[in-house]
Amino acid sequence: MKLSALNKKWILILVGVLVVPVCAMAAPAKVAILPFSIHADKDYAFLQKGVVEMLTSRLSTPEKVEVIDPLATAQALEGLRGQSGDALALAAGAKLNADYAIHGSITVLGDSVSIDAKTLDVTGQRAPLPFYKQTQGLGGVIPQINLMAGEINSQVFGIRTSGSAAAATPETGPAVQAPTPQPAPPAQADIHMHPEKLLRDNPLVAPAPQSAPLLDGGNASAPTNPLNPAFQSTRAAESTETAGFWKSANYAHMINGVDVGDVDKDGQLETVVATPQKIIIYRFANQRQQTVAEIETGKYRRNISVSVGDINGNGTAEIFVTALTSTLNVMESSVLEYNGSGFKPIVEKSRYYYSVVQHPTLGLLLLGQHQNSGNSPNNGSVVELKWKGRDYAEDRRILPGGKANLLGLAYGDIMNDGNDSVVAFDPSDHLRVMTTNGKIEWKDEEAYGGTTLYFAMPSAAAGDSETPFYLPVRIRAADLNKDGKFEVLVSRNTGGTGRKLGVRRSFSKSTLEALSWDGLGLTPLWKTRELAGRIQDFVVADYDNDGAEELLAAVISKEGAIIFTDAQSSLIAFELKQP
């Protein structure tokens, strides 16, 4: 049957009338907002509840966005114990028939509050979108949540709000638009921005550098040190300038070791991180964080430290990974090197602890300490290792056996008298300065360092559990103020269960401190105020390739189950003002 032109016109009108309401009646996007994790040394449960309530009210938009009742979300989470992070958010979202799931964390470090959030498409059709805000004091949390909600509305749901418009103000940087190529920002732009933003295709303008907001506790009126106002001097010092800091995203793993070096021969420095089962290599440069490589080291190994240096002299820095077997009582270290296409082992199943140190006159040295199964981690002599074509062989002794473990030892002119000496931890985390023949010149009565990593010694009696021998944390020796004398850099981890006998260790707060030899012993120069979390490792290096050295520390804010699962850590860097 043929239709007249008039009939066709009426049919088209009728179809249009029917289709438009169907489009208009499209179901709103359902969003599940999970309770944010709180990482702080105080109880901020009210903040956790408040953030969820604020996001719920600011994201809910009639006919466009429906936020699922927080009580229903809490009930859904009850049946999902044992999961965390993205996996938990996606599982909860699927259980609630949500289109999107939002989860995140709030980190309170002294006056500084960092808010991390991630929006996940439960169907997997869109890539996860991270959001980050940082503010000074709890009073700034509400405005920053408003801005974050505006950015989520704009980028995820296409809803323009006052919050999304405000997100483009100079204080917080422009809202992230759809990825489009843009020219690199000028070299002088602020590099202290969040890596989750740096991973975006478009570089963002970061907040202005902060002056010592990471910190808590201590004497706020104490004089600051010229290296960085975040450092409290214990000797008279003055500073009228501010310096910045940088904090990474919260990583969902433990960082057991960190070092910096050019490991892929590209002329830039990479940051090498040891997690219990991976070596992760980052590059921080040109206002971007890049993940260069993630190297699986095996589920039956536990990486406990990492050092970087070109010891074999071929122009490419090797990665020295100190590791234990999963039973924690046998060494199984390795050495990785870039071969032009990837990072490959050149040494495997080594029984050595490794540590690369910078000697003031001899340059970069590789120190090693052999570990026999069942023996104390202090038993072996500390020696210098040199490359012998196929492996690293012992060359000369640095310290006799039974004196210290290499992981907590620095070597050089510690006493600033022109002679080599050693500063190291004893098994009780007390610092000792020794000559290279093992004679103790000085011992501190206070405990520094402190870690939860241990070597499993045989049980004391049949039927008893293993005896943990807690390993020391890193000590660094460096001339930071360029006065020709070494400063000894150490961490001090406190709080938690600490070093109480009969319980597994835990630490909830920490400081980084600098000591200097005054002729009688090591005396304090400066320290940071207290950080929330445990400092596991640190390094002085130009981690961000800006031409100036920084003090880069790995901070564990959540230990996780057993030794590595469900953990949380981050990297924090302090600028160092050179004289």
Side-chain angles (χ1 to χ4, degrees):
M1 180 179 65
K2 294 184 177 180
L3 297 174
S4 66
L6 182 60
N7 287 337
K8 288 181 179 179
K9 181 178 179 180
W10 279 108
I11 290 173
L12 290 173
I13 293 173
L14 181 61
V15 169
V17 170
L18 293 174
V19 169
V20 170
V22 170
C23 295
M25 293 169 56
K30 295 179 65 177
V31 180
I33 302 176
L34 279 65
F36 278 37
S37 302
I38 303 293
H39 305 287
D41 56 358
K42 298 178 182 177
D43 183 7
Y44 289 110
F46 71 93
L47 190 59
Q48 183 182 54
K49 181 180 179 182
V51 167
V52 172
E53 290 179 350
M54 283 187 285
L55 284 176
T56 298
S57 66
R58 285 152 178 78
L59 294 181
S60 297
T61 305
E63 300 181 356
K64 291 185 178 180
V65 179
E66 175 191 341
V67 178
I68 295 170
D69 189 330
L71 290 178
T73 302
Q75 291 173 357
L77 292 172
E78 284 295 322
L80 297 172
R81 297 186 184 278
Q83 299 186 59
S84 63
D86 288 1
L88 176 61
L90 290 171
K95 193 172 181 180
L96 293 163
N97 294 318
D99 300 298
Y100 294 91
I102 299 175
H103 73 106
S105 64
I106 301 171
T107 303
V108 182
L109 296 175
D111 292 333
S112 179
V113 183
S114 301
I115 308 165
D116 293 83
K118 187 182 288 187
T119 300
L120 302 170
D121 183 343
V122 177
T123 66
Q125 296 179 10
R126 297 179 63 179
L129 280 177
F131 299 88
Y132 173 78
K133 294 294 174 186
Q134 186 171 14
T135 184
Q136 297 271 336
L138 296 179
V141 171
I142 292 178
Q144 294 303 318
I145 289 293
N146 281 333
L147 293 174
M148 180 178 286
E151 292 179 1
I152 294 173
N153 271 326
S154 174
Q155 298 175 43
V156 179
F157 306 115
I159 302 171
R160 297 293 295 175
T161 66
S162 59
S164 59
T169 62
E171 291 185 359
T172 59
V176 180
Q177 303 298 324
T180 55
Q182 292 191 6
Q188 69 269 23
D190 180 13
I191 54 89
H192 297 100
M193 66 177 75
H194 198 277
E196 289 186 354
K197 288 189 173 184
L198 298 178
L199 286 171
R200 303 285 299 167
D201 289 339
N202 299 329
L204 304 183
V205 178
Q210 310 294 318
S211 57
L214 287 176
L215 318 164
D216 192 14
N219 181 4
S221 62
T224 59
N225 189 275
L227 283 170
N228 191 308
F231 303 157
Q232 291 183 333
S233 287
T234 50
R235 298 179 185 176
E238 293 184 357
S239 174
T240 59
E241 298 182 23
T242 61
F245 76 92
W246 170 88
K247 176 187 176 294
S248 77
N250 291 322
Y251 302 118
H253 51 246
M254 288 184 68
I255 297 178
N256 285 340
V258 62
D259 208 352
V260 173
D262 183 4
V263 296
D264 59 1
K265 209 172 181 179
D266 67 344
Q268 292 188 310
L269 298 174
E270 285 78 40
T271 298
V272 182
V273 164
T275 76
Q277 294 184 333
K278 284 183 183 180
I279 298 298
I280 306 176
I281 303 173
Y282 300 113
R283 185 183 298 113
F284 300 92
N286 299 322
Q287 301 194 30
R288 293 181 181 273
Q289 171 186 326
Q290 294 176 290
T291 300
V292 176
E294 291 192 15
I295 307 161
E296 299 280 353
T297 53
K299 63 180 180 179
Y300 299 112
R301 289 180 54 190
R302 300 290 181 266
N303 304 318
I304 58 174
S305 183
V306 68
S307 280
V308 173
D310 179 16
I311 302 302
N312 59 17
N314 65 358
T316 302
E318 302 103 270
I319 301 172
F320 297 88
V321 184
T322 300
L324 300 170
T325 61
S326 58
T327 56
L328 306 182
N329 62 357
V330 178
M331 298 298 302
E332 196 169 300
S333 301
S334 61
V335 184
L336 306 172
E337 188 175 58
Y338 186 69
N339 65 2
S341 61
F343 294 88
K344 304 298 181 183
I346 59 174
V347 173
E348 295 184 274
K349 296 186 176 181
S350 168
R351 296 293 185 258
Y352 280 92
Y353 298 90
Y354 290 123
S355 180
V356 175
V357 301
Q358 181 70 46
H359 191 278
T361 56
L362 300 177
L364 213 59
L365 303 178
L366 173 63
L367 304 186
Q369 184 175 32
H370 194 267
Q371 169 74 64
N372 290 318
S373 177
N375 289 343
S376 165
N378 288 2
N379 280 2
S381 297
V382 175
V383 298
E384 181 184 356
L385 299 174
K386 289 190 175 181
W387 179 249
K388 299 297 183 181
R390 295 175 61 89
D391 201 347
Y392 301 86
E394 296 187 8
D395 183 70
R396 64 187 178 98
R397 192 183 73 179
I398 302 297
L399 189 69
K403 299 297 181 180
N405 181 268
L406 176 61
L407 296 184
L409 179 149
Y411 168 63
D413 187 8
I414 305 300
M415 293 187 286
N416 296 308
D417 61 357
N419 298 310
D420 284 338
S421 51
V422 167
V423 57
F425 285 113
D426 69 9
S428 299
D429 291 333
H430 294 280
L431 289 172
R432 296 183 295 180
V433 175
M434 295 174 279
T435 63
T436 54
N437 63 12
K439 179 185 176 183
I440 297 176
E441 295 289 335
W442 174 83
K443 180 177 179 178
D444 201 343
E445 296 181 355
E446 297 187 44
Y448 284 87
T451 182
T452 61
L453 299 178
Y454 66 89
F455 184 92
M457 298 290 292
S459 58
D464 288 352
S465 59
E466 63 192 16
T467 301
F469 186 108
Y470 286 101
L471 297 165
V473 296
R474 186 97 67 175
I475 302 175
R476 302 275 189 183
D479 181 10
L480 296 182
N481 56 11
K482 309 303 180 186
D483 65 350
K485 297 181 180 180
F486 266 132
E487 290 89 61
V488 174
L489 303 177
V490 293
S491 61
R492 188 198 294 266
N493 296 321
T494 57
T497 63
R499 299 169 178 81
K500 294 178 181 177
L501 296 177
V503 296
R504 293 292 187 190
R505 283 182 167 188
S506 68
F507 301 93
S508 59
K509 52 189 178 179
S510 56
T511 55
L512 273 171
E513 305 188 17
L515 313 173
S516 180
W517 186 263
D518 67 355
L520 299 175
L522 291 174
T523 59
L525 287 176
W526 53 258
K527 65 178 179 178
T528 64
R529 299 174 192 172
E530 286 183 346
L531 306 178
R534 169 175 64 86
I535 296 174
Q536 174 57 34
D537 201 1
F538 60 93
V539 60
V540 177
D542 180 16
Y543 85 96
D544 56 3
N545 292 284
D546 69 347
E549 289 187 332
E550 293 85 20
L551 178 56
L552 180 69
V555 179
I556 310 296
S557 54
K558 183 180 179 183
E559 296 286 348
I562 311 175
I563 191 172
F564 61 96
T565 59
D566 194 28
Q568 182 165 287
S569 55
S570 59
L571 295 172
I572 294 176
F574 295 93
E575 293 179 346
L576 299 175
K577 182 179 180 295
Q578 299 301 329

